[in-house]
Amino acid sequence: MRPSISWAWGKANTLFLLALLLSGSLQARQVPVLTLEEAQEQARQHYPISRQRDLLLQTEQFTLENLSKGYLPQVGLNGQATYQSAVTQLPISLPGVEIIPLPKEQYKVFAEVSQLVFDGGLIRQQKKAAQLQTAVETQKVEVELLRLQDRINQLYLGTLLLDAQLKQVDLVQLDLEAGIRRVEAQVKNEVSFKSNLYLLQAELLKNNQRRAELRSARQATLQTLGLFVGQALPESVVLPLPVPTEVMAYQQIQRPELKVYSFQQSLLEQQQKLLLARNLPKASLFGQTGYGRPGLNFLQNQADFWYMGGFRLNWSLGNLYTARNDRKLIGVNQQLTQIQLENFLLNTNAQLTQQRAEIDKLQQLVVTDQEIVGLREKVKAAASAQLSNSVITPNDYLREVYAEDQARQTLILHQLQLLQAQINYKTTLGY
C-alpha cells in the first residue's frame, strides 16, 4: 500500500512542477504591451525636467521657513573701541572737588535682543509672493511636459503607421506569391514565358527590401520612444491603437500656459501689495546689555555693566522716492502679460480652427478611401482570375496588385492621420 501512495505523491509533485515550468514559460513568452497613456505617463516621470517640480517645492519651503524666522527674536552682538580727540568736560572748578575728565579711549561690548511688533505685513506679503513665484515656475514645467506629450504622440503614432505598412507588405507578398504559383504552373505547361516568372520573383525581392526598410525604421522609432519612457522597448512590443474619441466634445482650453499667465498676473498684484508693505513704518521692542567704559553714567570714569530697553520705530522714507515709478512699472508688466495672454489665445484658437477643418477633411477622405479599396479588391480578384487563364500578362497583374496596395496605403495613412489629428486637437486644448 505504501509504494502506491508514494508513487501517487511523486506523480502529483511531477505534474505540479511541470505546471510551474509551463506557467513560467508562458509568462516568459508573454508579449509586452505599451499603451499611449502608459507611454505618456512613463515619459513624464522619466523626463529630467519633472524633477524640477520637487526642487521648486523645496525652494518654496526653505524660503517660507526663512521668512517666518523674521518673527523670532533677533539677537546681535556688537563691539566697539574708539579713540577721541576730545571729550566732554565741565567748564567749572569747585574747591576741594576733583572732576576727572572722560577718557579719550572708550570701548563697549553689548548684546541686543529685538522683537518685531509691526512690519506693515511685509513678511506675510513676501510669503504670498514666494508661493506665487513657485506656482508660476511649476506651471512652466507643465508647459514643457505638454510639449513632451506631443512628442510621445508623434513617436507612438509613427510606430503604428510603420506597423500598418508592414502588414500591407505582408499582404502584397501573399498576392505576389499567388501570382508566382500561377505563372510557374503556366511555365510548366509551356503557356507562359520564364521571363514573366522572373518579373514576379524580382518584385517579390523588392517587397522584401521594403519590409527590411520598414523594420529598420520601426526599430529606430522604438529606440527613440524607449529613451523617453526610460526603458528599452523590444521589437516584439505591441502598441495598441488608441481608441478614437469624439474630440469635438472638448471645447474649453485647459492649457497650462493659461495658468502661467494667471499666476503671473496674481504675482504682479502681489508685488503691488508688497511695495505698499515695504513703505510702511516698522516697530519693534529691544533690549541691550553690555560692558564698557564709560557706562551709562558718563561722569563715572570707569568700566561698568549696563542695560537698557525700549520701543523702536523705523520708517525709511527713501523708498518713497521710487514708489510711484515702481507702481507704474508693475502696471506696464501687467499690460504686457495681458497682451501675451491674448496673443496666446488668438494663436491657439487659430490652430484649433485649422485642426477641426483637418479632422473633417480626413473623415471624408477615409470614407472615400474605404470605397476605393473595395473596388480595387474586386479589380485585383478579376485580374488574378485573368492571369490564371492567361488573359492578361504578369505586368497587368502587378499593376492591379500595386494599385490595390496604393489604395490601402492611402487608407492606412489617412486613418492614422485622422487619429493623430484628433489626438493633436485634444493636446492643443490641454487634455
Side-chain angles (χ1 to χ4, degrees):
M1 187 67 181
R2 290 182 179 178
S4 62
I5 295 177
S6 176
W7 177 83
W9 178 254
K11 184 178 180 180
N13 284 338
T14 302
L15 292 175
F16 179 72
L17 290 175
L18 288 175
L20 285 179
L21 291 175
L22 181 60
S23 175
S25 177
L26 290 175
Q27 291 179 356
R29 296 179 182 178
Q30 186 176 3
V31 179
V33 178
L34 180 67
T35 64
L36 178 59
E37 292 75 14
E38 291 173 346
Q40 292 172 349
E41 182 60 28
Q42 292 178 17
R44 285 175 62 92
Q45 295 177 0
H46 183 258
Y47 205 50
I49 201 173
S50 297
R51 298 193 293 270
Q52 187 173 331
R53 289 178 295 187
D54 295 333
L55 296 177
L56 289 172
L57 292 177
Q58 292 180 22
T59 301
E60 177 186 348
Q61 180 182 357
F62 295 147
T63 302
L64 295 179
E65 289 178 357
N66 288 338
L67 290 173
S68 297
K69 292 177 180 178
Y71 294 117
L72 298 177
Q74 306 298 311
V75 181
L77 183 63
N78 302 280
Q80 177 179 304
T82 62
Y83 177 84
Q84 301 179 196
S85 60
V87 294
T88 302
Q89 293 182 351
L90 294 177
I92 60 174
S93 60
L94 299 175
V97 178
E98 181 182 2
I99 301 178
I100 302 175
L102 293 175
K104 293 183 178 181
E105 302 86 8
Q106 299 182 8
Y107 62 87
K108 61 180 178 177
V109 178
F110 67 96
E112 177 177 310
V113 179
S114 62
Q115 175 60 57
L116 182 66
V117 176
F118 176 76
D119 67 344
L122 179 61
I123 294 178
R124 185 179 70 256
Q125 301 301 339
Q126 287 176 331
K127 284 185 175 181
K128 292 181 179 179
Q131 291 172 334
L132 287 171
Q133 184 64 45
T134 301
V136 170
E137 297 301 324
T138 301
Q139 287 303 312
K140 288 182 179 180
V141 172
E142 293 298 327
V143 171
E144 293 298 324
L145 291 177
L146 185 63
R147 294 173 183 170
L148 170 66
Q149 178 177 325
D150 183 62
R151 181 73 180 277
I152 297 301
N153 293 342
Q154 293 178 4
L155 290 171
Y156 191 95
L157 294 174
T159 306
L160 289 180
L161 176 59
L162 292 170
D163 288 339
Q165 290 175 338
L166 283 168
K167 292 179 180 178
Q168 183 58 26
V169 166
D170 294 336
L171 294 177
V172 173
Q173 179 177 347
L174 294 177
D175 291 333
L176 291 174
E177 290 175 347
I180 289 174
R181 287 193 299 270
R182 291 187 179 91
V183 175
E184 284 178 341
Q186 292 174 355
V187 171
K188 185 177 180 180
N189 295 328
E190 298 181 353
V191 294
S192 180
F193 298 104
K194 285 188 176 181
S195 59
N196 293 330
L197 178 61
Y198 298 152
L199 175 64
L200 292 176
Q201 290 174 341
E203 292 300 321
L204 182 62
L205 292 176
K206 287 175 59 178
N207 195 64
N208 291 334
Q209 287 181 334
R210 183 183 176 193
R211 178 187 292 105
E213 292 175 353
L214 292 173
R215 284 180 175 175
S216 177
R218 185 180 188 274
Q219 183 179 7
T221 307
L222 281 178
Q223 289 177 351
T224 306
L225 182 60
L227 289 176
F228 281 103
V229 301
Q231 61 175 331
L233 298 177
E235 292 186 17
S236 60
V237 65
V238 175
L239 305 182
L241 189 69
V243 179
T245 57
E246 182 56 43
V247 296
M248 297 308 174
Y250 301 91
Q251 297 294 335
Q252 188 175 3
I253 299 176
Q254 300 287 347
R255 291 280 291 273
E257 289 90 340
L258 296 181
K259 292 185 178 181
V260 171
Y261 295 125
S262 176
F263 285 132
Q264 284 178 341
Q265 290 286 18
S266 299
L267 179 59
L268 291 171
E269 293 174 1
Q270 184 60 32
Q271 288 178 355
Q272 291 277 17
K273 299 178 182 178
L274 186 59
L275 181 63
L276 176 61
R278 286 175 178 171
N279 294 328
L280 292 177
K282 312 295 185 292
S284 61
L285 299 175
F286 75 95
Q288 294 180 355
T289 181
Y291 179 82
R293 190 181 70 166
L296 294 182
N297 184 3
F298 64 91
L299 296 179
Q300 186 176 1
N301 189 12
Q302 63 182 13
D304 193 11
F305 287 97
W306 55 271
Y307 70 90
M308 64 184 299
F311 176 81
R312 180 180 291 147
L313 179 66
N314 294 323
W315 194 357
S316 177
L317 301 179
N319 292 332
L320 297 178
Y321 299 147
T322 61
R324 183 177 180 182
N325 285 338
D326 289 338
R327 286 193 295 269
K328 290 182 178 179
L329 182 60
I330 293 175
V332 170
N333 289 331
Q334 288 176 326
Q335 294 178 11
L336 289 174
T337 303
Q338 181 63 30
I339 291 174
Q340 292 172 357
L341 172 60
E342 294 174 359
N343 184 67
F344 171 76
L345 289 174
L346 176 61
N347 291 331
T348 303
N349 285 320
Q351 186 177 2
L352 289 172
T353 301
Q354 293 176 349
Q355 289 176 342
R356 284 194 293 266
E358 183 72 10
I359 290 173
D360 293 338
K361 180 191 74 174
L362 290 171
Q363 286 175 339
Q364 297 175 5
L365 290 177
V366 167
V367 173
T368 306
D369 288 336
Q370 290 172 342
E371 295 176 357
I372 294 174
V373 168
L375 294 173
R376 285 296 179 185
E377 285 179 349
K378 295 178 181 178
V379 173
K380 186 197 71 175
S384 177
Q386 291 171 354
L387 179 64
S388 300
N389 297 323
S390 300
V391 177
I392 62 174
T393 65
N395 277 325
D396 297 330
Y397 175 72
L398 284 175
R399 184 175 61 252
E400 302 306 333
V401 168
Y402 287 137
E404 183 200 7
D405 174 55
Q406 184 61 45
R408 288 186 179 276
Q409 291 284 355
T410 303
L411 172 60
I412 292 171
L413 179 62
H414 287 161
Q415 286 176 332
L416 287 176
Q417 284 179 341
L418 174 60
L419 180 60
Q420 185 170 10
Q422 293 171 334
I423 293 176
N424 289 342
Y425 184 82
K426 291 177 60 179
T427 303
T428 304
L429 284 172
Y431 292 93

